Amino acid sequence: MNRLMLINGPNLNLLGTREPGIYGSHTLQDVVAEVKHVTDDFGYDLEDYQSNHEGAMVDKIQEAGRTCSGIILNAAAYTHTSIAIRDAIASIPVPVIEVHISNIHTREEFRHHSMLASVCKAQIVGLGIKGYRYAALALLEK
Ligand code: DQA
């Protein structure tokens, strides 16, 4: 399947205006464009999805498990709380790379732990929206 899935979780629809000192001034549209450059280069399709709802994200992860060869996932706040998203990742055969724009390990203590990291292929943090590009490259380069 020549297709990647990009999933962004709660409040990432507000990128650009949301706490710009932490998340920068790039918008979600910029994030999608960043990844699309890479998928285009490799002749892959990109599906992008954003939701503020945990169950909807679980549904999308399950769907991507059937239709895509990899997932780039910023589960935002659900990273730190969601066993349901963790179980969805563990249930599918395709690699998932966890991305965070900020460095969650240098922020508040409650952000240090990811419920998802141990079922993901890798975690990329603190590199701003470039992290999404590196995740796409990691999934596509042979
Ligand atoms: C985030 C980090 C999370 O802790 C936070 O809840 C977010 C964004 C990031 O990309 O840096 O919403 O995932």
Side-chain angles (χ1 to χ4, degrees):
M1 278 163 287
N2 284 0
R3 188 178 182 80
L4 284 193
M5 180 74 78
L6 168 64
I7 302 176
N8 280 287
N11 302 305
L12 292 170
N13 53 313
L14 299 180
L15 276 181
T17 55
R18 174 193 182 199
E19 298 184 87
I22 297 173
Y23 300 113
S25 56
H26 292 291
T27 64
L28 184 58
Q29 221 182 335
D30 295 331
V31 169
V32 175
E34 188 84 6
V35 176
K36 196 151 172 14
H37 278 138
V38 178
T39 51
D40 282 354
D41 277 356
F42 282 80
Y44 270 62
D45 291 332
L46 177 67
E47 181 174 344
D48 79 276
Y49 180 76
Q50 188 277 329
S51 178
N52 294 324
H53 304 277
E54 186 177 14
M57 291 175 65
V58 168
D59 287 344
K60 206 59 174 175
I61 290 165
Q62 290 184 7
E63 180 195 318
R66 298 186 297 269
T67 60
C68 296
S69 57
I71 303 176
I72 301 165
L73 173 65
N74 185 347
Y78 288 135
T79 303
H80 316 296
T81 62
S82 180
I83 297 171
I85 291 177
R86 178 204 169 88
D87 286 353
I89 295 168
S91 303
I92 58 168
V94 308
V96 179
I97 298 193
E98 177 184 349
V99 173
H100 299 284
I101 295 165
S102 66
N103 185 343
I104 56 174
H105 302 292
T106 59
R107 297 183 61 194
E108 301 96 325
E109 183 115 25
F110 64 83
R111 296 185 203 276
H112 294 184
H113 184 252
S114 166
M115 302 292 287
L116 316 180
S118 65
V119 289
C120 286
K121 183 180 169 74
Q123 185 189 61
I124 298 174
V125 307
L127 298 176
I129 75 164
K130 278 193 204 132
Y132 290 92
R133 169 146 52 94
Y134 300 145
L137 283 169
L139 288 168
L140 296 180
E141 276 178 350
K142 295 283 180 263

